[in-house]
Amino acid sequence: MLKTDKLTKKFKDTLAVDNVSLELRKGESVGLLGPNGAGKSTAIAMISTLLKPSSGDVRIHGKSVLKDPGDMRRVLGVVPQKIALYEELSAYENLKFFGRLYGLSGKKLEQRIGYVLDLVGLSDRKKELVKHYSGGMQRRVNLAAAMMHEPEVLIMDEPTVGIDPQSRNHLLETIRRLNHEEGMTVLYTSHYMEEVEKLCDRVYIMDRGKVIAEGTKEELKAILSDQETVWIEFDQSYPELFKKLSEIEGVQHADVEERSLKLMIPKGMRLLASLFHEAERHGAQVTNVHVQTPTLEDVFLRLTGRTLRD
Amino acid sequence: MGAFLIKDIMLLLRDRYELIILLAMPFLLIAILGFSLRGIFSGDLEALEMDVALIVEDDEAQGIEMVQNSIDGMGLPQESEQTLKQAAESASPQTMLTSLLDSEEISGLVRIERMGRDQAEENLEAQSIDAIIIVPDGFTQSALNNMLFGASGGAQLELLAADGASPKSDVLVSILEEFVRTLNFESSISRLAGDTETVAIAGGIETITAQKSMTSFQYYTISMAVMFVLFVGSAVARQANLEQRQMVFERIRLSNRPPLLYLSSKAIAAAAIVSVQLMLLFGLSTLLFQTFAVDSWDFWLGIALISVVLAVSVGCLAAFMVALTLRVESDAVPAIFSAGVISLMAFVGGSFVPLDGMPESIRTIGSWTPNGAALSAYFSWMLDPDVHQLSGPLARICAVGVLFLAAALALFPRKGGAA
């Protein structure tokens, strides 16, 4: 349905996006995962026809959109990272304006406004000015505005940045419903691994302008088939012990938190004997140990040596 | 187009800051300037009326006698001596001054009362009078010496004005300076011509009014209106910058509407806002200050014609500013325009002071600004409602508008660098 072919964007000496090829099939939900500065937003801007690529192509239904972006714009609903709304207008007035831009009018316009407001759960507060909404509510209207023209593909660029957990869950649930129940194709960009993991069937992982891995969640996690992550919790913080454990031979990566430690080790490595020995030496009490299933965060870590938050 | 217009007007109506700039500020200035400077404009001299004490320390008879005595000692032929003595007696500069102050033209403005120095100073202190004119000792002698023999110095008068009496005292100074200058100059001419019979003051009083039939409220309603319509340009450009920063502009682009629709909607919205702004300013000023006659349809039709042409031109200016703002992706354009360029345009366009005394170059530049040309058109229509006289200024407003529009089309980022 939507394909990019070796999409590249160069700003002076900076290669923001480097030969990125993506594909979205009808009805699927695809994640674009990567840390800040990975080139996700630039790639989204090119796919949305808002930024001209330095090279490469974007195709919708097999047709290039570079010369005539109209075909792409008709089927795309874009939810930008910023709140692209008029703060001095109400949610209703914003949606009415954007709906009219897409040629809607009269009863059809009112019906569509009613539908998208119901979808984002703001029907009862539609008359309030957007500037009086919480960040989460503004994000929901931001999504509603992109839905006004009944797009086939929804492109979302970090739609949950800076919002409270409740609004975040509401937004994620709305996107899940759109994809699962209405068959909408979704391209979801985020640096929150758990969001992509929850929403997306397939994932592209981007770093420094390039796609460094792609596949279903299971395929990506299979990259870590020779590894496992051990999570150990202690009664209190033991900085010296944590350092010692991180330096045990075979430990590939250590993530230290206040009272816990996450170690990435080769599958089959005998860690527990050394762990309890060192804990006893430091007078520490281990309160919990378990082996975690690999996450996309672990995959990113394995591929880049950095976490998504770095 | 309708969606854009409704949205732009709704946004403006909800922006208190812009509403204050576009409506409250000009109206406040019209009220302040209209009241405080009403005396500067003809037919409205009440504000300049003043009470003045006249102290005469000069002994005119003694002055004449001293001059006549000095003629005796010059060794001139008897006939010449006689002529000069008669001239000294008939010239009488002090009488000329009192005649001037008692004249119909001045007495309507200045009420003169002779009094002693102590009383005059006391009254000035108590602010029961506005100024004191002192005819100093030796005034007659100095004036006659200058008049008959060209002696340096000439006649001098002294003026004491109360604190804060300006612009009243300015007017009085100007009257007295004109008198003294005329007296000394005319007497010099008379002496050179050998005419010693009489000395007439030919100069009279300088006219201080620029437009005979215009009141201060009329002047400032028009001049503030044509100045403040320019702020619509920066308001619209500021909104465009906000749309660009908040990515609303990108959302609009994604709707696949022709990019020029956005630009033209900004121009039309600006023109509509200017029309409403002018209507409100002229209407409120007329309602509250009786600035214009309300019963002349012809007059208002002319005002409407000029206003529409000005509104369209400002719409083009707004389009130019929007295009430039989007091109440079900064709010510096509307900020610089509203903070500096508008004041400059208002100055050269004559919104602050009449341009009569300004250099020709400034008047020419001013006449090519939309506000300056509109000011000229409105004044012309008020003083002489002849539609032919409007053609020049209206043509200039249109020409400037076309230039702004051409620049806007050249600058507007139709694709914004995107596909």
Side-chain angles (χ1 to χ4, degrees):
Chain A
M1 181 179 192
L2 192 156
K3 277 180 91 169
T4 72
D5 183 23
K6 295 181 181 172
L7 208 53
T8 300
K9 186 66 190 179
K10 198 172 179 181
F11 296 108
K12 291 185 180 170
D13 297 330
T14 309
L15 197 58
V17 174
D18 185 6
N19 279 303
V20 167
S21 296
L22 308 174
E23 184 176 3
L24 272 79
R25 295 177 205 116
K26 189 170 173 57
E28 73 174 343
S29 174
V30 175
L32 193 55
L33 183 67
N36 290 326
K40 304 187 299 292
S41 293
T42 308
I44 291 291
M46 287 189 285
I47 294 168
S48 311
T49 72
L50 290 173
L51 190 65
K52 195 172 184 175
S54 303
S55 63
D57 200 0
V58 182
R59 292 174 181 276
I60 183 78
H61 299 307
K63 191 178 166 190
S64 174
V65 302
L66 294 187
K67 281 190 182 166
D68 180 14
D71 288 343
M72 179 66 105
R73 289 176 179 177
R74 268 186 287 278
V75 300
L76 276 194
V78 180
V79 183
Q81 193 169 344
K82 285 189 179 176
I83 307 293
L85 299 167
Y86 292 102
E87 290 186 349
E88 296 292 334
L89 299 185
S90 68
Y92 174 82
E93 288 162 344
N94 267 286
L95 296 175
K96 191 166 186 174
F97 169 66
F98 291 115
R100 289 184 72 186
L101 287 191
Y102 281 101
L104 300 175
S105 62
K107 203 173 173 185
K108 197 174 176 193
L109 175 62
E110 293 298 329
Q111 281 174 347
R112 191 64 195 166
I113 292 171
Y115 169 77
V116 293
L117 281 171
D118 277 346
L119 186 75
V120 297
L122 286 172
S123 294
D124 54 339
R125 299 186 67 177
K126 65 181 180 181
K127 298 282 184 189
E128 289 179 35
L129 297 187
V130 167
K131 69 177 179 183
H132 295 145
Y133 283 170
S134 69
M137 289 162 74
Q138 290 179 346
R139 291 266 168 210
R140 280 145 69 181
V141 185
N142 212 26
L143 168 63
M147 293 289 299
M148 278 303 293
H149 61 297
E150 301 182 53
E152 291 178 45
V153 182
L154 192 61
I155 295 187
M156 312 186 79
D157 187 7
E158 307 263 9
T160 60
V161 169
I163 62 173
D164 58 280
Q166 195 184 348
S167 291
R168 189 182 183 189
N169 287 338
H170 190 286
L171 204 63
L172 293 178
E173 182 53 31
T174 306
I175 298 162
R176 197 196 62 75
R177 268 177 52 206
L178 284 170
N179 177 239
H180 286 204
E181 294 171 20
E182 300 194 16
M184 183 172 282
T185 310
V186 175
L187 177 59
Y188 191 89
T189 302
S190 178
H191 66 276
Y192 294 122
M193 172 272 302
E194 61 274 27
E195 288 181 2
V196 172
E197 203 154 7
K198 181 177 176 182
L199 287 176
C200 304
D201 311 318
R202 282 195 307 120
V203 180
Y204 289 87
I205 297 179
M206 271 189 87
D207 188 40
R208 299 174 204 262
K210 287 184 176 179
V211 171
I212 55 172
E214 63 122 331
T216 62
K217 286 179 279 189
E218 290 69 30
E219 283 168 347
L220 287 172
K221 287 174 187 173
I223 294 172
L224 301 177
S225 58
D226 57 343
Q227 283 184 342
E228 56 193 13
T229 304
V230 182
W231 184 76
I232 314 147
E233 195 175 11
F234 294 88
D235 61 328
Q236 62 183 63
S237 180
Y238 296 97
E240 267 190 44
L241 172 62
F242 292 174
K243 189 168 182 290
K244 189 83 183 167
L245 292 173
S246 303
E247 289 169 354
I248 289 175
E249 196 178 341
V251 172
Q252 292 165 339
H253 184 81
D255 199 359
V256 179
E257 290 178 11
E258 195 189 345
R259 291 193 305 149
S260 66
L261 184 66
K262 199 161 83 170
L263 300 177
M264 200 177 280
I265 58 171
K267 217 164 198 171
M269 177 178 163
R270 292 175 178 276
L271 178 72
L272 291 183
S274 307
L275 165 65
F276 285 110
H277 175 69
E278 288 296 337
E280 194 175 348
R281 271 188 59 208
H282 285 82
Q285 192 179 345
V286 177
T287 56
N288 197 0
V289 177
H290 72 260
V291 179
Q292 280 188 334
T293 313
T295 64
L296 291 176
E297 176 93 37
D298 298 328
V299 175
F300 186 80
L301 187 65
R302 167 73 179 270
L303 293 170
T304 65
R306 294 177 291 121
T307 66
L308 282 164
R309 294 181 300 277
D310 284 345
Chain B
M1 181 67 84
F4 283 110
L5 285 178
I6 293 167
K7 177 261 301 176
D8 280 334
I9 289 166
M10 278 169 76
L11 287 172
L12 184 78
L13 289 176
R14 288 178 189 173
D15 189 336
R16 282 183 200 163
Y17 170 79
E18 292 295 359
L19 282 181
I20 288 171
I21 294 282
L22 298 180
L23 286 175
M25 280 278 284
F27 199 72
L28 198 66
L29 285 170
I30 290 167
I32 292 170
L33 294 170
F35 277 119
S36 61
L37 298 178
R38 63 185 169 173
I40 301 296
F41 293 79
S42 73
D44 191 10
L45 293 175
E46 199 179 313
L48 292 179
E49 284 180 6
M50 59 194 112
D51 293 305
V52 176
L54 180 66
I55 302 172
V56 181
E57 294 178 338
D58 175 53
D59 185 335
E60 190 177 41
Q62 190 188 34
I64 292 169
E65 192 182 332
M66 287 176 77
V67 171
Q68 286 176 334
N69 289 341
S70 66
I71 293 169
D72 283 338
M74 285 179 176
L76 297 169
Q78 197 178 358
E79 197 180 322
S80 299
E81 271 186 16
Q82 216 41 44
T83 308
L84 284 170
K85 282 180 179 177
Q86 277 177 5
E89 204 159 341
S90 60
S92 183
Q94 206 186 109
T95 310
M96 284 186 212
L97 175 65
T98 47
S99 301
L100 169 71
L101 295 174
D102 290 339
S103 69
E104 195 181 335
E105 199 171 11
I106 300 298
S107 61
L109 196 66
V110 183
R111 282 184 291 276
I112 294 286
E113 190 181 343
R114 281 175 180 260
M115 56 182 81
R117 182 179 272 270
D118 290 345
Q119 190 196 347
E121 284 176 353
E122 205 174 292
N123 287 350
L124 189 65
E125 185 91 5
Q127 296 190 340
S128 58
I129 58 171
D130 298 297
I132 304 171
I133 298 171
I134 302 165
V135 182
D137 188 24
F139 172 78
T140 301
Q141 192 184 0
S142 301
L144 289 175
N145 278 335
N146 174 271
M147 189 186 295
L148 299 174
F149 314 121
S152 60
Q156 282 191 332
L157 290 171
E158 292 168 18
L159 178 74
L160 289 174
D163 288 342
S166 186
K168 289 180 177 179
S169 60
D170 292 344
V171 173
L172 194 56
V173 166
S174 129
I175 292 169
L176 294 179
E177 274 181 354
E178 181 65 17
F179 168 72
V180 171
R181 189 184 65 76
T182 307
L183 179 69
N184 292 332
F185 178 65
E186 287 295 335
S187 28
S188 297
I189 290 173
S190 300
R191 183 178 49 76
L192 287 170
D195 179 2
T196 53
E197 288 288 314
T198 54
V199 178
I201 299 171
I205 304 302
E206 188 181 354
T207 304
I208 57 165
T209 51
Q211 303 287 347
K212 281 186 177 175
S213 59
M214 189 168 292
T215 67
S216 57
F217 278 106
Q218 289 171 334
Y219 183 87
Y220 284 110
T221 297
I222 292 171
S223 62
M224 289 300 110
V226 297
M227 173 183 168
F228 277 85
V229 294
L230 299 176
F231 281 97
V232 173
S234 50
V236 171
R238 202 173 292 120
Q239 182 61 41
N241 176 252
L242 196 65
E243 288 174 332
Q244 190 178 39
R245 275 192 289 127
Q246 293 183 334
M247 290 195 74
V248 180
F249 183 60
E250 306 295 14
R251 215 193 258 290
I252 292 169
R253 283 176 59 206
L254 283 170
S255 71
N256 211 29
R257 289 278 172 177
L260 284 179
L261 188 69
Y262 175 83
L263 187 67
S264 50
S265 77
K266 291 286 179 198
I268 292 170
I273 293 164
V274 167
S275 302
V276 174
Q277 185 189 19
L278 288 171
M279 202 164 70
L280 286 174
L281 287 176
F282 289 152
L284 281 175
S285 182
T286 299
L287 201 65
L288 295 178
F289 308 128
Q290 290 78 48
T291 305
F292 304 109
V294 289
D295 54 353
S296 169
W297 284 105
D298 288 347
F299 170 76
W300 285 107
L301 272 175
I303 294 289
L305 171 69
I306 301 165
S307 301
V308 167
V309 175
L310 175 63
V312 171
S313 185
V314 175
C316 296
L317 167 69
F320 165 69
M321 291 187 60
V322 166
L324 191 59
T325 301
L326 294 177
R327 170 69 68 179
V328 300
E329 297 183 12
S330 162
D331 63 354
V333 174
I336 291 170
F337 187 75
S338 56
V341 178
I342 289 179
S343 300
L344 202 63
M345 286 171 78
F347 174 71
V348 299
S351 284
F352 296 140
V353 286
L355 293 179
D356 297 338
M358 294 285 176
E360 183 63 30
S361 56
I362 290 183
R363 280 191 282 171
T364 305
I365 294 169
S367 71
W368 281 96
T369 57
N371 54 307
L375 192 76
S376 168
Y378 282 123
F379 286 173
S380 166
W381 182 251
M382 278 192 61
L383 298 174
D384 181 12
D386 176 3
V387 78
H388 295 102
Q389 295 209 27
L390 292 181
S391 57
L394 290 188
R396 286 198 298 277
I397 300 173
C398 291
V400 173
V402 169
L403 282 178
F404 280 132
L405 190 61
L409 292 172
L411 284 171
F412 184 63
R414 284 163 216 220
K415 289 185 176 177

